[in-house]
Amino acid sequence: KLAAEIKDYDGAKAGIEASLETLGLDYIDLMIIHSPQPWADWAGEDRFFEGNLAAWKALEEAVEAGKIRAIGVSNFQKQDLDNLLQNATTKPMINQVLAHVGNTPFELIDYAKSNGMLVEAYSPIAHGKILDNEEVGAIAAKYGVSIPQLCIRYVLQLDLLALPKTANPDHMKTNADVDFEISDE
């Protein structure tokens, strides 16, 4: 990811090169702008349109140079996406959004999809907070699965790419075992 604080062309170019060097790779499969706003300005009035366009230009050039294969964004809202769609050469290929049971931004998801973007749901297990939800636990029990499995299946059934986070190999394995369907009910 390009750090949320990088809102200029030179900074983005340096961030791309630093990532390649740190990873020891000739190219990166996917690089995204982490946020439309620096974290210190999160939810402020300034959407950093010009800075995001400058960073995006560096990403586009890295794609042309074969250093990156795909580019996208994270935490971008409709107006942030519109800025790129209307002013950039390459549209974002992916928008990562916070999406889980209890927080599903359907309008944003539909908008991104309608513009040909893959939508990736990060934190589909609600940063672990959903593990204590009795109602969700009861639904998981009905299907004979864990709460994380139910939550991952939920975003998959919305045709989103699930991005659960765990360092536990056992959790990684069970998180991938989601071969069941949640009923419309």
Side-chain angles (χ1 to χ4, degrees), residues 100-126:
H100 55 75
V101 174
N103 182 64
T104 310
F106 290 107
E107 191 173 314
L108 178 60
I109 290 166
D110 291 344
Y111 185 73
K113 285 181 178 182
S114 73
N115 280 284
M117 290 172 232
L118 175 65
V119 179
E120 184 173 44
Y122 71 84
S123 298
I125 306 166

Side-chain angles (χ1 to χ4, degrees), residues 54-77:
W56 193 255
K57 179 177 171 64
L59 290 170
E60 288 177 323
E61 288 177 2
V63 169
E64 290 172 21
K67 295 178 179 183
I68 300 174
R69 293 199 174 163
I71 52 178
V73 294
S74 183
N75 298 300
F76 274 48
Q77 299 300 310

Side-chain angles (χ1 to χ4, degrees), residues 110-179:
D110 291 344
Y111 185 73
K113 285 181 178 182
S114 73
N115 280 284
M117 290 172 232
L118 175 65
V119 179
E120 184 173 44
Y122 71 84
S123 298
I125 306 166
H127 305 290
K129 292 183 168 87
I130 203 160
L131 298 173
D132 298 325
N133 184 298
E134 291 181 20
E135 187 176 355
V136 174
I139 296 169
K142 172 184 168 184
Y143 288 98
V145 299
S146 69
I147 292 174
Q149 287 171 313
L150 181 76
C151 292
I152 292 166
R153 184 70 213 166
Y154 170 78
V155 298
L156 291 174
Q157 280 187 222
L158 293 175
D159 198 28
L160 308 179
L161 178 62
L163 182 61
K165 182 178 178 182
T166 182
N168 182 314
D170 292 331
H171 291 169
M172 288 178 202
K173 185 176 180 182
T174 58
N175 285 350
D177 187 14
V178 291
D179 190 23

Side-chain angles (χ1 to χ4, degrees), residues 2 4 6-7 32-37 39 42 47-49 51-53 55-56 59 72-85 92 94-98 105 108-109 111-112 117 119 122:
L2 272 181
I6 298 175
K7 298 298 171 209
I32 60 176
I33 297 175
H34 198 173
S35 171
Q37 300 167 296
W39 297 127
W42 181 250
R47 299 307 297 178
F48 294 83
F49 290 142
N52 284 314
L53 286 172
W56 193 255
L59 290 170
V73 294
S74 183
N75 298 300
F76 274 48
Q77 299 300 310
K78 182 183 182 298
Q79 68 265 33
D80 307 308
L81 295 173
D82 284 342
N83 179 46
L84 295 178
L85 292 169
I94 189 169
N95 188 16
Q96 284 185 345
V97 299
L98 177 62
L108 178 60
I109 290 166
Y111 185 73
M117 290 172 232
V119 179
Y122 71 84

